[in-house]
């Protein structure tokens, strides 16, 4: 089995188009983000961070590869995809014995854009959601994305004892 300290479970939650100074865990007293605030209390909350780009796919490509946009080549949503030769966090952790899963809430992170590399499960099924308003992208509400991620966690609990996980949950509306 895996040593829990050598191979901790990794839950990566990314919040799209969200300013940290509007979340309770970063000091905004009027925030209604109890789930995110609890995760911040019980997990690791980064207080000095910056995005590599103000664009969803580009920024997430950097998060998953550790590379800046000129190195991974993703410069915008929709017109670019992460190349197959890029090495992602999911590929590295998968090679180390982790079960990997991603649940994304926006069409700009659909598998065709390459971020599915290394994930055993990549849930980008947004087509059953309501059609977006004109000029907006298709998205899934946080409650539905989180419900699917929690179902995967229940399945993981019944899997190989001691096998760590990487679970990425991408949300537009922080709970």
């Amino acid at each position: 089995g895996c040593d829990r300290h050598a191979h901790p479970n990794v839950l990566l939650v990314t919040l799209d188009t969200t300013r940290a100074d509007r979340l309770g865990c970063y000091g905004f007293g009027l925030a209604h983000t109890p789930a995110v605030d609890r995760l911040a209390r019980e997990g690791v909350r980064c207080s000095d961070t910056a995005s590599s780009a103000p664009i969803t796919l580009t920024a997430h490509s950097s998060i998953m590869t550790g590379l800046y946009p000129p190195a991974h080549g993703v410069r915008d949503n929709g017109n670019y995809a992460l190349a197959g030769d890029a090495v992602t966090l999911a590929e590295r952790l998968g090679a180390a014995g982790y079960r990997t899963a991603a649940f994304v809430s926006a069409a700009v992170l659909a598998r065709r854009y390459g971020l599915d590399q290394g994930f055993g499960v990549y849930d980008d099924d947004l087509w059953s959601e309501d059609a977006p308003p004109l000029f907006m992208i298709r998205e899934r509400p946080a409650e539905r994305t989180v419900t699917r991620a929690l179902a995967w966690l229940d399945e993981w609990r019944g899997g190989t004892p001691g096998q760590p996980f990487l679970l990425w949950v991408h949300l537009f509306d922080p709970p």
Side-chain angles (χ1 to χ4, degrees), residues 20-34 36-37 40 45:
D21 66 357
R22 290 297 180 248
L23 299 172
C25 60
Y26 286 95
F28 187 57
L30 299 176
H32 298 286
T33 54
V36 170
D37 297 344
R45 181 184 63 88

Side-chain angles (χ1 to χ4, degrees), residues 57 76-81 108 112-113:
L57 179 60
D76 201 354
N77 292 331
N79 297 323
Y80 293 84
V108 297
R112 70 176 172 258
Y113 300 116

Side-chain angles (χ1 to χ4, degrees), residues 6 15 22 36 60 86 99 102-103 105 128 131 140 150-151 166-167:
L15 305 176
R22 290 297 180 248
V36 170
H60 284 82
R99 277 189 68 189
F103 295 83
S105 296
S128 60
R140 176 169 52 194
L150 289 174
L166 163 64
L167 173 57

Side-chain angles (χ1 to χ4, degrees), residues 1 8 21 35 41 51-52 65 77 85 87 92 97 100-101 108 114 119 121 128 137-138 142-143 165:
D21 66 357
R41 277 192 312 275
S51 180
S52 62
T65 63
N77 292 331
D85 61 354
V87 180
R92 289 188 186 275
T100 58
V108 297
F119 284 103
V121 170
S128 60
I137 63 170
R138 186 174 293 273
E143 182 179 349
F165 66 77

Side-chain angles (χ1 to χ4, degrees), residues 137-160:
I137 63 170
R138 186 174 293 273
E139 64 183 78
R140 176 169 52 194
E143 182 179 349
R144 292 183 191 156
T145 301
V146 169
T147 296
R148 292 171 82 120
L150 289 174
W152 181 87
L153 272 176
D154 283 342
E155 178 192 325
W156 168 82
R157 283 187 188 99
T160 305

Side-chain angles (χ1 to χ4, degrees), residues 17 24 26 30 55 70-71 75 87-88 118 126 130 141 147 157 161 166 169:
T17 64
Y26 286 95
L30 299 176
I55 301 164
R75 306 252 183 187
V87 180
T88 66
L126 309 176
D130 294 338
T147 296
R157 283 187 188 99
L166 163 64
V169 180

Side-chain angles (χ1 to χ4, degrees), residues 35-107:
V36 170
D37 297 344
R38 181 176 174 193
L39 281 173
R41 277 192 312 275
E42 296 177 8
V44 176
R45 181 184 63 88
C46 300
S47 60
D48 187 17
T49 63
S51 180
S52 62
I55 301 164
T56 301
L57 179 60
T58 306
H60 284 82
S61 294
S62 290
I63 291 168
M64 291 300 170
T65 63
L67 301 172
Y68 287 111
H72 61 60
V74 178
R75 306 252 183 187
D76 201 354
N77 292 331
N79 297 323
Y80 293 84
L82 187 63
D85 61 354
V87 180
T88 66
L89 176 63
E91 288 173 309
R92 289 188 186 275
L93 291 182
Y98 279 67
R99 277 189 68 189
T100 58
F103 295 83
V104 301
S105 296

